Amino acid sequence: MMQESGTEATSNGPASQNRAASVEDGARNARPNSATSVDVTAADLIHLQPQQALQVARQILLQQQHQQQQQQQQQQQQQLQLQQGTDLKSPKDNENQPSLQVPVSVAMMTPQVITPQQMQQILQQQVLSPQQLQVLLQQQQALMLQQQQLQEFYKKQQEQLHLQLLQQQHAGKQSKEQQQQAQQLAFQQQLMQVQQLQQQHLLNLQRQGLLTIQPGQTALPLHSLTQGINPAELQQLWKEVTNLKEENNSNGRRGLDLSSPQPPKKPLLNQHASTNGQYMSHSLKREGSTLDDYHHSHHSHPLYGHGVCKWPGCEAVFEDFQSFLKHLNNEHALDDRSTAQCRVQMQVVQQLELQLAKDKERLQAMMTHLHVKSTEPKPTPQPLNLVSSVTLSKTAPPEASPPLSLPQTPTTPTAPLTPLSQAHSVITPNSLHHSVGPMRRRYSDKYNMPISPDIVQNKEFYMNAEVRPPFTYASLIRQGILESPEKQLTLNEIYNWFTRMFAYFRRNAATWKNAVRHNLSLHKCFVRVENVKGAVWTVDELEFQKRRPQKITGPALVKNIQTSLGYGPALSAAFQASMAENNIPLYTTASIGSPTLNSLANAIREEMIGAMDHGNSNGSDSSPGRSPLPAMHHIKEEPLDPEDHEGPLSLVTTANHSPDFDHHRDYDDDQGHDDML
DNA sequence: ACCGAACTAAACATCG
DNA sequence: TCGATGTTTAGTTCGG
């Protein structure tokens, strides 16, 4: 009777309202609470898009560079001043330092702004594929290094400045005011320059669509820089600054930090490039002599999208690919500037990667701490994007994983995947563990994405972690049925599948089993087929797809697609691929309206529509009666595992997917009789 | 605020 | 009679 005897579920007895309550509390870890917390987190995480994080990182990098540049100039000016007039620094001059330092220090700090939450968001936004994550990691490291270097440099600068000031002080005091003014002017110039450069870069970023302007962040530094300078001064200074800037630009390295100690890791990057095709590879393309080849072979160049040159800061428009190539070779030839830009790009990514790694670690630690026994962090990360049906295959006999996401196109909305799921799917299994907490029941059901991939990929996670799967019952049931060799299961088998696949369902049997039955009866997509041995349940895919028809209108669709990214890895992968093809860098905030995205959406839409039509054709939506099922004689004998013996397995089975799936049966046992009601 | 979808609970029916 | 299986209804929650 009660498999769950062990657990609190025991309370199943003759259900009574009380029972329900108790079950909820005990068994489910106060689901409401946990669920809530999780939700919040997930929701929060969503705010920042990966792209945004990248943007931020990029911005930061630029700031660092500017900073460096500024520092260099500062040094120069200091020297100049020293040379020009022995007079200079008066005690009060020191006061200026702070003002100068402020911006600098601010800039220095910025890097940390990205961290935890944003990175987590990135993590959660399953948009990132393993490869991408790798790339990010590497780049993050590079960025970190650079940051350190900058800091050192900054320190040195400060020291020097200090020394100079001290010397000057001793040198003698003269017209303090004049000195002050001179000093101020000098500093202001520097500030202006920095500011201008920042603005310029920001503009560039904006042009590229890389930056969505985050008032808070950009505005702040800029603002602080401008403070204290009156318009008149600005005007005048501007010119000077401009000149300076140009000089710098001509020098190339100045702003771009070619001297960066971190030589580009071509090998690594190339690796990625090879792995991930075009994504991220653009930064290298330049350096590779194979550029042209690349172009020709793949007409879609990462640096060329929708008639626009995607080179950072460049927005040239071209009619055809050839002209673009020319432009690329001419304007973005292998020179210091281009190289520097490449490095910048790489560093940005590396920085992000580093950050990502850190946060991942943290997350893992957190998860480990919270889940401990049950979910041991599995050291072996799996490529989620692969949609490894392999995993599942173990469970399900031959056919194993059903047509993963394929059939069920996103169009149909039934399977709600919560944000959490997103996280899971995209991130490595490890990370999955992290996302603990019972998910909200149906977060975004709307976008009924194929859950299969998610389930498959995170199978282990769900199997071991008592986390409520972010899918609707209907989706889960469907999945279970589709996974079966004959695409049909008896109710009990469905139960077994649930308990086997999800640790979460090893509790509160009464509740979820009731829900399962309810769903089976309620949804037309589940067809009951009389079998010799009884009745089995099958899935009417068309009906399933029909559920919650979505409008395929442009924006909505796009939105869905975007959302879907988080959901089905398969789709996600496809989407990413599309992005790559369309040369849509992930970090380009895909504003729904953007042409690029739309084009992409169209691409995907076609696929989706295909499926949709499928469903629509059916057109018997309204038919109240259940589908015509009965007759099917597929009669599947139900060779299935009749095991129901009970066996209170510890939920905590650390064992990741042990090679033998049969073990899972243990769970089956439980359910076998469970306590339903 | 409203609506639809999903979830939960539970009553009730049927069958072996 | 009992438990499993199905069906149905009602209330709640949540997101659009």
Side-chain angles (χ1 to χ4, degrees):
Chain A
M1 285 240 302
M2 21 202 266
Q3 62 166 73
E4 319 200 320
S5 50
T7 63
E8 64 284 320
T10 6
S11 49
N12 356 344
S16 65
Q17 284 108 355
N18 295 334
R19 164 185 67 73
S22 62
V23 171
E24 274 294 33
D25 304 348
R28 275 250 307 70
N29 308 341
R31 167 153 145 244
N33 295 336
S34 16
T36 305
S37 62
V38 172
D39 290 349
V40 173
T41 311
D44 291 341
L45 291 177
I46 297 177
H47 288 328
L48 241 205
Q49 300 295 319
Q51 301 96 321
Q52 289 179 319
L54 283 166
Q55 288 169 13
V56 172
R58 184 183 281 258
Q59 196 179 333
I60 288 164
L61 182 69
L62 289 172
Q63 285 181 351
Q64 288 178 350
Q65 290 172 345
H66 293 155
Q67 203 178 304
Q68 202 171 29
Q69 192 175 15
Q70 178 191 1
Q71 289 168 357
Q72 288 176 351
Q73 289 181 358
Q74 176 185 337
Q75 201 172 23
Q76 287 182 351
Q77 288 190 5
Q78 287 288 333
Q79 290 177 349
L80 264 176
Q81 289 173 2
L82 286 173
Q83 293 173 358
Q84 288 174 351
T86 34
D87 58 5
L88 284 178
K89 312 311 169 166
S90 64
K92 292 190 178 179
D93 290 337
N94 290 328
E95 293 175 2
N96 287 329
Q97 276 195 24
S99 63
L100 207 186
Q101 291 175 4
V102 173
V104 175
S105 58
V106 168
M108 292 304 264
M109 302 304 286
T110 27
Q112 294 162 1
V113 175
I114 321 179
T115 23
Q117 295 157 343
Q118 294 179 349
M119 286 314 287
Q120 272 205 9
Q121 289 164 3
I122 292 176
L123 284 171
Q124 307 273 342
Q125 302 278 329
Q126 65 133 248
V127 183
L128 299 176
S129 68
Q131 293 93 351
Q132 289 167 355
L133 288 174
Q134 274 206 345
V135 173
L136 282 176
L137 281 173
Q138 290 168 4
Q139 308 208 343
Q140 275 188 334
Q141 290 175 349
L143 274 185
M144 287 297 244
L145 286 175
Q146 194 195 15
Q147 189 180 338
Q148 289 180 352
Q149 291 163 8
L150 283 173
Q151 284 179 344
E152 288 179 20
F153 179 74
Y154 174 67
K155 282 183 181 177
K156 289 180 182 176
Q157 289 285 320
Q158 291 293 322
E159 289 177 9
Q160 278 193 2
L161 191 61
H162 228 50
L163 283 175
Q164 289 175 359
L165 289 173
L166 287 175
Q167 289 177 351
Q168 289 165 12
Q169 282 179 17
H170 291 301
K173 321 172 179 179
Q174 299 174 9
S175 52
K176 292 180 182 177
E177 293 185 357
Q178 286 182 355
Q179 292 171 23
Q180 280 188 356
Q181 286 181 355
Q183 273 287 313
Q184 272 194 342
L185 193 68
F187 284 126
Q188 287 177 355
Q189 283 182 354
Q190 291 172 2
L191 292 175
M192 284 302 298
Q193 188 176 357
V194 173
Q195 182 184 357
Q196 193 186 14
L197 288 174
Q198 283 183 334
Q199 287 180 337
Q200 190 182 27
H201 280 276
L202 288 175
L203 283 174
N204 287 338
L205 290 175
Q206 287 179 43
R207 274 188 234 134
Q208 296 175 50
L210 298 177
L211 189 77
T212 335
I213 294 269
Q214 302 174 352
Q217 296 183 345
T218 59
L220 222 159
L222 291 177
H223 225 38
S224 62
L225 289 174
T226 356
Q227 283 180 344
I229 301 177
N230 66 49
E233 289 178 331
L234 288 177
Q235 278 278 332
Q236 190 178 358
L237 293 176
W238 195 268
K239 292 178 182 177
E240 301 178 58
V241 172
T242 306
N243 292 333
L244 282 174
K245 189 196 75 183
E246 288 179 0
E247 285 180 26
N248 290 334
N249 286 339
S250 64
N251 287 340
R253 347 206 127 217
R254 275 279 180 148
L256 293 170
D257 178 28
L258 283 179
S259 58
S260 141
Q262 266 260 329
K265 302 175 180 179
K266 296 181 183 179
L268 273 176
L269 288 172
N270 284 330
Q271 243 183 352
H272 297 301
S274 61
T275 354
N276 198 7
Q278 345 192 320
Y279 178 66
M280 271 314 190
S281 54
H282 39 301
S283 58
L284 299 180
K285 299 270 147 54
R286 263 246 96 27
E287 311 187 59
S289 57
T290 57
L291 189 61
D292 287 345
D293 299 53
Y294 179 85
H295 300 330
H296 297 307
S297 53
H298 313 281
H299 208 271
S300 58
H301 192 287
L303 290 173
Y304 182 68
H306 303 283
V308 178
C309 175
K310 301 274 185 169
W311 187 274
C314 180
E315 201 179 19
V317 179
F318 302 95
E319 291 290 347
D320 57 0
F321 192 67
Q322 290 304 320
S323 53
F324 160 72
L325 287 179
K326 279 185 182 178
H327 159 80
L328 195 60
N329 290 325
N330 294 331
E331 301 301 320
H332 307 299
L334 179 57
D335 56 11
D336 286 352
R337 185 158 153 262
S338 297
T339 307
Q341 289 174 324
C342 275
R343 292 209 174 119
V344 169
Q345 187 70 23
M346 288 192 296
Q347 287 165 351
V348 168
V349 177
Q350 286 178 338
Q351 172 70 48
L352 286 173
E353 284 183 342
L354 195 68
Q355 197 63 54
L356 181 62
K358 285 185 177 179
D359 273 73
K360 262 187 168 181
E361 252 182 277
R362 189 187 309 178
L363 181 58
Q364 194 151 44
M366 290 168 68
M367 293 300 290
T368 305
H369 170 69
L370 295 175
H371 259 57
V372 207
K373 304 119 198 196
S374 57
T375 36
E376 253 178 40
K378 305 172 181 167
T380 50
Q382 296 176 359
L384 297 176
N385 278 343
L386 297 184
V387 182
S388 58
S389 51
V390 182
T391 353
L392 258 193
S393 43
K394 294 174 188 172
T395 334
E399 284 206 32
S401 43
L404 299 179
S405 49
L406 312 182
Q408 21 183 304
T409 27
T411 25
T412 39
T414 359
L417 304 178
T418 63
L420 231 109
S421 69
Q422 299 182 17
H424 300 309
S425 29
V426 189
I427 305 170
T428 36
N430 295 326
S431 39
L432 293 185
H433 297 287
H434 315 336
S435 51
V436 189
M439 322 239 46
R440 230 273 136 35
R441 1 183 168 157
R442 61 229 177 105
Y443 233 146
S444 48
D445 315 346
K446 306 268 186 108
Y447 315 107
N448 150 19
M449 304 308 299
I451 61 170
S452 309
D454 183 284
I455 293 179
V456 173
Q457 292 187 351
N458 304 308
K459 175 187 158 195
E460 291 178 24
F461 174 68
Y462 292 126
M463 280 173 56
N464 299 316
E466 237 176 275
V467 175
R468 186 191 183 94
F471 313 107
T472 56
Y473 281 110
S475 297
L476 291 174
I477 294 169
R478 172 180 167 278
Q479 180 67 20
I481 293 173
L482 292 180
E483 276 184 21
S484 69
E486 312 205 20
K487 306 280 185 290
Q488 56 178 275
L489 293 175
T490 62
L491 179 64
N492 192 51
E493 287 167 348
I494 292 172
Y495 290 160
N496 291 341
W497 185 83
F498 269 69
T499 50
R500 193 195 312 140
M501 302 300 291
F502 306 93
Y504 176 83
F505 292 118
R506 284 163 207 160
R507 300 184 160 203
N508 306 326
T511 299
W512 66 261
K513 284 182 177 178
N514 183 35
V516 167
R517 289 195 305 276
H518 168 75
N519 274 269
L520 285 171
S521 292
L522 191 66
H523 300 303
K524 286 191 240 170
C525 60
F526 298 117
V527 180
R528 183 172 175 277
V529 179
E530 282 297 334
N531 189 339
V532 176
K533 227 181 142 191
V536 293
W537 290 93
T538 61
V539 176
D540 182 337
E541 203 60 33
L542 294 181
E543 279 296 326
F544 185 84
Q545 299 298 336
K546 265 203 304 189
R547 297 175 61 198
R548 232 201 223 196
Q550 282 182 338
K551 325 170 188 170
I552 309 189
T553 57
L557 178 64
V558 174
K559 192 175 178 184
N560 291 340
I561 291 172
Q562 285 187 301
T563 308
S564 67
L565 281 183
Y567 301 138
L571 199 167
S572 166
F575 187 79
Q576 287 175 18
S578 292
M579 287 187 84
E581 280 190 349
N582 291 291
N583 185 21
I584 302 174
L586 282 179
Y587 38 76
T588 353
T589 332
S591 52
I592 293 180
S594 83
T596 17
L597 199 85
N598 283 332
S599 69
L600 172 88
N602 287 328
I604 295 180
R605 188 178 312 170
E606 289 184 347
E607 291 184 24
M608 297 173 81
I609 289 179
M612 278 294 272
D613 290 345
H614 211 47
N616 290 336
S617 65
N618 194 348
S620 52
D621 202 354
S622 51
S623 66
R626 246 152 168 310
S627 35
L629 44 161
M632 335 228 11
H633 353 283
H634 287 23
I635 323 241
K636 131 197 181 181
E637 294 284 50
E638 298 203 32
L640 310 177
D641 20 75
E643 43 242 43
D644 302 74
H645 350 321
E646 229 61 40
L649 297 185
S650 63
L651 306 176
V652 195
T653 57
T654 329
N656 311 337
H657 58 18
S658 41
D660 19 44
F661 209 176
D662 292 356
H663 306 14
H664 296 301
R665 302 200 162 187
D666 299 336
Y667 297 126
D668 302 12
D669 308 358
D670 305 14
Q671 25 174 17
H673 318 318
D674 267 294
D675 21 9
M676 300 247 319
L677 307 178

